[in-house]
Amino acid sequence: MGYTDIRFKLNSHDPQDSLHLFEIFVNYWEIKPAQYETKLQEIALQGVRKVSAFIPWAHFETDLYHSLKKFLKAAFNARMEVRLWILPELGVNYPFVGIPRDLIQNHASIAVDRAGKVLYNIAAPHVFPLPSFASSIVSKRLESYLLKLGAVFQEAFTEVDNDRFCEAMLSNSLLNCYKNVGPVAHEDWGDHSAATVLPYRDFLDEEYVTPQADSEDIEHFKLPFYDLQNRHLFFSRFEKELKEKAAFLLKKKCPKLTCAYSNALNPECDPHVSSEALLSEVYAVKPPLFHYYQSIVRSSIRGEKVFFNDFGAFRNFSDVEKDFLYSSSLIYTGGLRLSFEEFSKLTNCDSMVSQTVNALQSMKEKNYSLLKNAVYLAPSQSPLTQEAFQKFNHINLGHFSLCSMNEFLDEPGDGRLIFVDPKMILKPSEFSVLLTQAQKGKTVVLPQPLSEGFSLRNYARPASLQYEQFKKMREPLTMNWGLGQKVYAYDDGFAVFYDAEIFWKENSSSEALQPLNGGLSLFFNGVLGLSEQELACTAQMGVDLVFYSSPNSDKKTVFVLNPSPKTRKARLVCRKPVVWTHIESKPVHFLEMDVPGYAIVPLEFIENSAIQSALSQGEGSSAWI
Amino acid sequence: MDLKHDWKSLNEVLFLQSGPERNSPTLLLLEKDPQALSGWATTGEVVDVQWDPGYWNQKRQMDQLAQTYHCTQTIVVQKQALDGAIAECTSFGSNYYLQLELLRKRLQTEEGEHSSFFLSRKHFILNFFGGLVHHILPKSFNVLLLIDQRPAHQYPQESAFDCRALVLTYIQGELDQFFEPDFSTLHVHRLMNWKTENEAIGSYLENRYLLPCYGLFFFQEDWEKCVSQTQHKPWLLFTELLRQGRSEYFPHYWLPKAFLATQRILLYLREQRKKFFP
């Protein structure tokens, strides 16, 4: 039965369009090379024109049958595009997720945390220690693999005389999993193996060197107190360089290969979830759906692509629960990535997935996109100040991006509100870029330099001088938001400097920061209002709202998600009266509805200044039908 | 481990070391004392991670927490044990099945001083003594459960004798302690002949632990049948076993007699019902 019959049929729309929401994975190493074309033609019959595949490193190295080249040629013959994930990803169904076994068994090349404990992958396909990519053994082997891979791409492209059907996806998602299971203190996150000692030392020697910096300034930021920030910056830099090096090596052998950068995550491999998934397998109980859901939300914030496998604890969910997670992935990350076998099971046109796909496709045609206008900046993709991040998250749930400073400097993006983590160390280049963003009409919120009496610094000296010069040229506006902030206005944007001293104090534990909670909420609400990025409506705890909007339209769509098994009464409170299309004909401040368990309800509403001015003039609701 | 909370014995004696019940709503908690790390209920309800850690020695709290999330059993796992088991299971290479088997074995048995696995679920003995009956029982008391490992036909032969025993200490209706009793100064002859010496065993325990004691005695095969029964049926079965002389209890005063008499009446009514309404 072809997909055009019932699956994702969109009335008069071309069903082909909806398939852009899917990324279909094929484990080519599980299929005999002689059957590649048959399999790909079977996939093509479903209307799929692009497939993805992970490349198991160890399989490639030992592949006597040249499976990868045959797969590429078969894909070309089947007129399909191919996206290949080059670097190892957790959750791939291959022993050691494709990492060569001898690297795993070599103790010198294993990643360890700060306490010296080995870092493990504990999700399916099985438990194994993670290698350290800083190790010279691993690094050299990886280089050799990438060069050979590039050569295979070149051969394949030459034989089919085409190089545009294949894309190499470079990711460093594996490095985001270098956390021991359970909540881990930030100091312990990441690879602290002996192999990282020299690279880290080199990083420290270079990081704070600027034309204006003096040696005292450079040496100051090498102090152990800044280890947290420096480690995170180092990991972020290392990840970026690894991806760039991978692209360089591939293109050395295959110059015309298209390389793209992205990150992927299987929720089961998320360190926050993997221990629970493992225990659910041990005790033969259902894994925690809510934590998988939270992992999807976190992936959305980090800009990761979520993919699902069907051989881990995930298989124990019921169809309804799987549908809910698939739909959440579609809504939060804009895509659903799964194996062809699982895709084939999505045949019910009344399922939640089908309905979500239809809704998203309709919105795409109206040029709607996920509302994500805020950016949280940190040294890496793990925030340094949990209190600030959680408060920010609570107010903006799912509607912001968590970005490392490295990425931000390369590509600032379109976020209208940029918030800098209170524990960032700002260098002159970063300070300049942030102020430039404020000049461009954005609201940039960053910590002000710590006071002179404070023993530590959060600004490099040249950046402090820049700040002093900046202050002299402007008068701050008076705002009372609870964090001692100074607001400087540009033509369209704002630069908001807040007092971050409390976050730097030695005893800044969660308990010590408790009194700040109210101040933080007030502060974040204030900056959201200043940047006009407040959410149109909020709901009580227990249901989540995800907004889609178009820049040229007053209409917005909100998905109401209930990630629990019980029906919940959702009370949506609107900042200003809105008209809920198909429900209410007049503007209302709130809407109540029952949301069944594991259900997603899409709603459309209109909010615009025309409604507000008419309301203020006392016009009746009939004007807005 | 604190002697007062011998989870290993509790699970082995009360639940016959059967491990968690499959397909039962379960609450799983992962702890790293003194921190609560994560928890979830298989019912799908969201668990607030802010429970008090150290629940491994508070069966009542575990049961209350399970009840809050509509679960029938709570499993608490210590992170140190999990980490150790993970490190050990990597020796099986890429064999996930063997890795899981090893994890199950490590996480369901006691190792060294601290148990890695705390399983709490309902049981007819716990339900009874923790229920309404505590209002007419003393404020604090012990309950002895003695399981004779011999086949019933070998009673009272000495050569085959072995037993498992568990003492449950209740204070104001709440299970406070559970441990294996110390019978070191009790002549083994008394234990072997528990049918006739049950009062003496009871006196011994009362002198040893300075609390009134109630005792139940079973053969292993009968105990397994009782455990597999549901609702009131274990007590009905116990009453039947008493009638057959295969089990025993103490003390023999009015209260237990009244309860057992009630059970006998229920048993009689059940038989009559079966006769007239097959």
Side-chain angles (χ1 to χ4, degrees):
Chain A
M1 181 187 296
Y3 78 98
T4 50
D5 293 335
I6 53 171
R7 266 179 302 172
F8 318 123
K9 188 162 182 180
L10 298 171
N11 298 323
S12 58
H13 299 290
D14 181 3
Q16 178 71 265
D17 286 344
S18 66
L19 288 168
H20 78 278
L21 293 167
F22 291 87
E23 186 168 345
I24 311 299
F25 282 93
V26 174
N27 290 352
Y28 68 89
W29 59 91
E30 293 175 348
I31 309 168
K32 286 184 185 163
Q35 292 171 354
Y36 283 155
E37 281 208 33
T38 312
K39 182 72 180 179
L40 288 169
Q41 277 162 9
E42 182 193 334
I43 296 174
L45 275 177
Q46 304 292 329
V48 177
R49 290 289 174 263
K50 188 169 187 175
V51 291
S52 296
F54 295 104
I55 300 182
W57 178 356
H59 178 266
F60 176 78
E61 282 187 344
T62 55
D63 183 11
L64 300 174
Y65 301 103
H66 308 287
S67 308
L68 179 62
K69 192 164 91 171
K70 288 177 182 170
F71 177 71
L72 287 173
K73 286 168 71 175
F76 178 77
N77 292 336
R79 314 239 170 136
M80 298 189 90
E81 293 176 13
V82 181
R83 173 183 285 168
L84 294 170
W85 294 76
I86 308 292
L87 296 173
E89 290 290 338
L90 296 185
V92 174
N93 192 15
Y94 196 90
F96 305 101
V97 298
I99 299 170
R101 182 190 283 244
D102 54 301
L103 293 180
I104 304 285
Q105 289 172 342
N106 186 339
H107 293 292
S109 55
I110 294 300
V112 296
D113 67 8
R114 190 175 160 129
K117 287 191 213 163
V118 174
L119 292 165
Y120 291 97
N121 163 66
I122 59 173
H126 58 86
V127 178
F128 65 91
L130 294 171
S132 169
F133 281 83
S135 154
S136 59
I137 303 168
V138 175
S139 175
K140 283 184 184 146
R141 188 76 169 267
L142 184 67
E143 283 173 26
S144 167
Y145 156 67
L146 290 168
L147 287 169
K148 284 185 196 162
L149 192 58
V152 166
F153 283 133
Q154 184 61 34
E155 281 175 28
F157 292 168
T158 305
E159 286 177 26
V160 303
D161 195 26
N162 190 308
D163 51 51
R164 285 189 296 274
F165 71 103
C166 177
E167 178 185 47
M169 192 62 85
L170 296 166
S171 65
N172 59 8
S173 336
L174 178 63
L175 297 172
N176 288 334
C177 298
Y178 279 53
K179 297 177 183 120
N180 236 319
V181 298
V184 172
H186 276 71
E187 295 81 9
D188 297 334
W189 178 77
D191 178 14
H192 288 68
S193 61
T196 62
V197 169
L198 284 179
Y200 182 57
R201 200 182 295 168
D202 292 340
F203 159 82
L204 282 180
D205 286 338
E206 293 163 7
E207 177 64 13
Y208 297 100
V209 171
T210 61
Q212 308 93 335
D214 54 40
S215 56
E216 190 267 332
D217 198 34
I218 295 167
E219 290 304 311
H220 176 81
F221 288 111
K222 288 185 188 178
L223 291 174
F225 190 83
Y226 298 103
D227 199 44
L228 175 66
Q229 289 87 339
N230 288 330
R231 275 280 169 186
H232 279 253
L233 272 174
F234 168 66
F235 294 139
S236 173
R237 185 71 51 79
F238 183 87
E239 289 162 13
K240 184 183 167 197
E241 285 171 359
L242 182 66
K243 284 197 286 197
E244 287 172 353
K245 185 167 131 182
F248 171 75
L249 289 169
L250 286 170
K251 290 200 168 193
K252 201 170 173 183
K253 293 290 182 180
C254 185
K256 292 196 175 171
L257 178 66
T258 308
C259 290
Y261 301 111
S262 182
N263 281 344
L265 180 75
N266 181 339
E268 198 157 302
C269 301
D270 184 339
H272 295 280
V273 178
S274 54
S275 57
E276 294 159 358
L278 181 69
L279 287 174
S280 70
E281 293 274 47
V282 168
Y283 295 114
V285 297
K286 201 179 274 194
L289 181 139
F290 184 68
H291 294 173
Y292 276 67
Y293 168 77
Q294 282 184 320
S295 178
I296 292 172
V297 176
R298 282 194 294 269
S299 295
S300 157
I301 290 169
R302 292 192 299 256
E304 290 169 344
K305 297 185 195 304
V306 172
F307 73 93
F308 297 92
N309 61 32
D310 50 4
F311 54 87
F314 181 79
R315 72 188 188 286
N316 295 322
F317 285 125
S318 65
D319 287 343
V320 169
E321 290 162 341
K322 282 185 186 174
D323 269 358
F324 177 77
L325 289 174
Y326 288 156
S327 301
S328 300
S329 172
L330 279 165
I331 290 168
Y332 276 106
T333 68
L336 179 55
R337 294 152 203 96
L338 67 177
S339 67
F340 177 65
E341 288 71 28
E342 288 298 304
F343 172 76
S344 304
K345 291 178 193 169
L346 300 175
T347 55
N348 183 357
C349 64
D350 290 328
S351 71
M352 193 189 308
V353 175
S354 297
Q355 290 167 13
T356 307
V357 166
N358 286 342
L360 289 173
Q361 183 56 26
S362 297
M363 286 193 293
K364 185 198 169 212
E365 286 161 8
K366 295 179 207 168
N367 204 23
Y368 279 39
S369 58
L370 180 63
L371 188 66
K372 248 193 197 184
N373 280 338
V375 175
Y376 189 103
L377 274 188
S380 72
Q381 284 211 313
S382 183
L384 297 178
T385 318
Q386 284 300 317
E387 296 76 17
F389 179 76
Q390 276 166 15
K391 192 60 71 175
F392 192 78
N393 188 16
H394 177 68
I395 289 171
N396 283 288
L397 183 64
H399 296 92
F400 67 102
S401 302
L402 173 60
C403 193
S404 70
M405 186 55 90
N406 277 331
E407 286 171 356
F408 182 77
L409 290 176
D410 287 342
E411 181 55 57
D414 298 327
R416 304 271 321 151
L417 168 65
I418 300 163
F419 180 81
V420 179
D421 190 286
K423 281 193 171 174
M424 281 281 286
I425 299 171
L426 286 172
K427 298 188 283 290
S429 56
E430 289 157 5
F431 187 79
S432 303
V433 166
L434 288 166
L435 284 189
T436 308
Q437 294 300 308
Q439 286 168 1
K440 287 183 180 175
K442 299 181 185 178
T443 302
V444 178
V445 185
L446 57 166
Q448 63 197 24
L450 298 173
S451 56
E452 289 289 331
F454 209 78
S455 56
L456 300 166
R457 299 212 303 267
N458 62 341
Y459 273 56
R461 237 186 224 124
S464 285
L465 293 172
Q466 281 179 313
Y467 172 73
E468 292 302 324
Q469 278 175 340
F470 171 82
K471 269 199 324 181
K472 282 178 191 166
M473 288 160 40
R474 280 173 175 77
E475 278 300 316
L477 302 173
T478 307
M479 304 278 184
N480 187 13
W481 294 334
L483 269 193
Q485 64 288 326
K486 296 184 175 61
V487 180
Y488 297 89
Y490 285 89
D491 288 337
D492 296 318
F494 297 91
V496 181
F497 292 89
Y498 63 90
D499 184 1
E501 211 162 282
I502 189 167
F503 297 100
W504 283 80
K505 288 185 176 162
E506 267 194 39
N507 59 345
S508 59
S509 60
S510 296
E511 288 78 23
L513 289 171
Q514 276 294 331
L516 193 63
N517 269 341
L520 270 177
S521 293
L522 183 64
F523 178 70
F524 282 132
N525 281 317
V527 296
L528 279 173
L530 188 68
S531 58
E532 297 174 357
Q533 300 307 313
E534 295 153 302
L535 296 176
C537 58
T538 54
Q540 81 283 7
M541 293 286 285
V543 292
D544 293 335
L545 305 180
V546 182
F547 293 87
Y548 274 71
S549 67
S550 169
N552 304 321
S553 170
D554 293 324
K555 281 189 185 173
K556 287 191 170 80
T557 296
V558 59
F559 289 93
V560 184
L561 295 96
N562 178 4
S564 81
K566 292 184 179 168
T567 297
R568 282 191 173 149
K569 190 175 278 299
R571 185 182 166 91
L572 278 63
V573 179
C574 305
R575 192 163 44 90
K576 295 172 186 169
V578 303
V579 174
W580 295 96
T581 56
H582 310 303
I583 297 176
E584 295 272 352
S585 56
K586 55 184 179 181
V588 291
H589 261 296
F590 65 87
L591 180 72
E592 266 192 11
M593 55 187 291
D594 284 335
V595 185
Y598 298 140
I600 298 175
V601 179
L603 299 168
E604 193 178 66
F605 64 92
I606 307 169
E607 60 158 5
N608 62 18
S609 54
I611 295 178
Q612 311 313 325
S613 63
L615 280 172
S616 64
Q617 289 166 19
E619 288 191 21
S621 61
S622 58
W624 308 110
I625 295 174
Chain B
M1 169 189 285
D2 191 335
L3 184 64
K4 300 174 188 175
H5 298 95
D6 189 347
W7 284 97
K8 181 168 181 278
S9 295
L10 184 83
N11 286 315
E12 284 175 357
V13 176
L14 281 190
F15 303 109
L16 302 167
Q17 205 176 10
S18 58
E21 270 181 17
R22 287 177 175 247
N23 302 320
S24 278
T26 306
L27 179 68
L28 272 107
L29 308 175
L30 181 65
E31 287 186 357
K32 183 180 175 186
D33 203 17
Q35 196 183 3
L37 295 182
S38 71
W40 80 99
T42 60
T43 52
E45 291 189 50
V46 178
V47 172
D48 183 358
V49 187
Q50 300 305 319
W51 76 85
D52 283 330
Y55 261 25
W56 57 268
N57 64 352
Q58 300 293 337
K59 188 178 185 329
R60 178 170 57 86
Q61 278 87 333
M62 283 169 71
D63 289 341
Q64 274 176 355
L65 205 58
Q67 207 168 353
T68 306
Y69 295 103
H70 307 107
C71 295
T72 57
Q73 57 190 6
T74 305
I75 301 175
V76 180
V77 179
Q78 299 295 306
K79 186 172 178 304
Q80 299 95 304
L82 178 63
D83 288 346
I86 287 170
E88 204 178 327
C89 76
T90 54
S91 60
F92 288 112
S94 56
N95 192 325
Y96 197 36
Y97 174 77
L98 289 179
Q99 287 182 340
L100 288 178
E101 285 291 302
L102 180 76
L103 285 165
R104 278 183 201 111
K105 196 173 146 193
R106 289 287 174 264
L107 293 178
Q108 291 190 26
T109 56
E110 183 177 328
E111 288 203 357
E113 288 184 10
H114 299 284
S115 175
S116 56
F117 172 70
F118 307 99
L119 167 63
S120 173
R121 57 181 192 246
K122 292 177 184 172
H123 192 278
F124 72 93
I125 301 257
L126 302 176
N127 291 350
F128 177 75
F129 285 101
L132 294 171
V133 74
H134 82 269
H135 291 296
I136 48 176
L137 291 176
K139 189 176 160 185
S140 305
F141 60 91
N142 281 337
V143 175
L144 169 72
L145 183 61
L146 191 136
I147 313 297
D148 191 334
Q149 310 278 292
R150 291 174 293 190
H153 67 269
Q154 287 189 358
Y155 177 89
Q157 289 174 21
E158 292 184 22
S159 55
F161 179 68
D162 189 17
C163 74
R164 291 299 305 270
L166 186 71
V167 168
L168 309 166
T169 303
Y170 280 86
I171 299 179
Q172 291 184 327
E174 303 285 350
L175 180 63
D176 184 58
Q177 302 177 26
F178 37 92
F179 53 91
E180 288 206 63
D182 176 17
F183 285 133
S184 55
T185 52
L186 179 70
H187 199 288
V188 68
H189 175 80
R190 291 202 192 274
L191 282 176
M192 281 195 302
N193 296 284
W194 49 265
K195 283 188 185 177
T196 50
E197 301 286 347
N198 51 76
E199 293 283 356
I201 296 171
S203 297
Y204 167 81
L205 286 176
E206 284 178 359
N207 288 329
R208 176 76 174 79
Y209 295 108
L210 303 175
L211 282 177
C213 190
Y214 302 91
L216 296 164
F217 299 82
F218 291 86
F219 286 105
Q220 176 73 28
E221 61 222 52
D222 297 328
W223 174 241
E224 286 171 10
K225 285 180 199 162
C226 280
V227 171
S228 63
Q229 299 291 321
T230 56
Q231 294 183 337
H232 306 295
K233 292 177 186 171
W235 291 112
L236 290 175
L237 181 57
F238 174 66
T239 310
E240 179 59 27
L241 292 169
L242 264 182
R243 200 172 68 174
Q244 295 170 12
R246 289 172 66 93
S247 65
E248 208 28 271
Y249 72 95
F250 71 82
H252 292 277
Y253 69 83
W254 71 269
L255 182 59
K257 283 183 178 174
F259 172 73
L260 290 168
T262 313
Q263 297 298 311
R264 284 205 183 96
I265 292 169
L266 284 172
L267 186 63
Y268 172 76
L269 289 173
R270 194 172 94 163
E271 284 171 354
Q272 293 304 308
R273 194 177 73 173
K274 272 186 192 169
K275 204 187 282 184
F276 290 107
F277 304 101

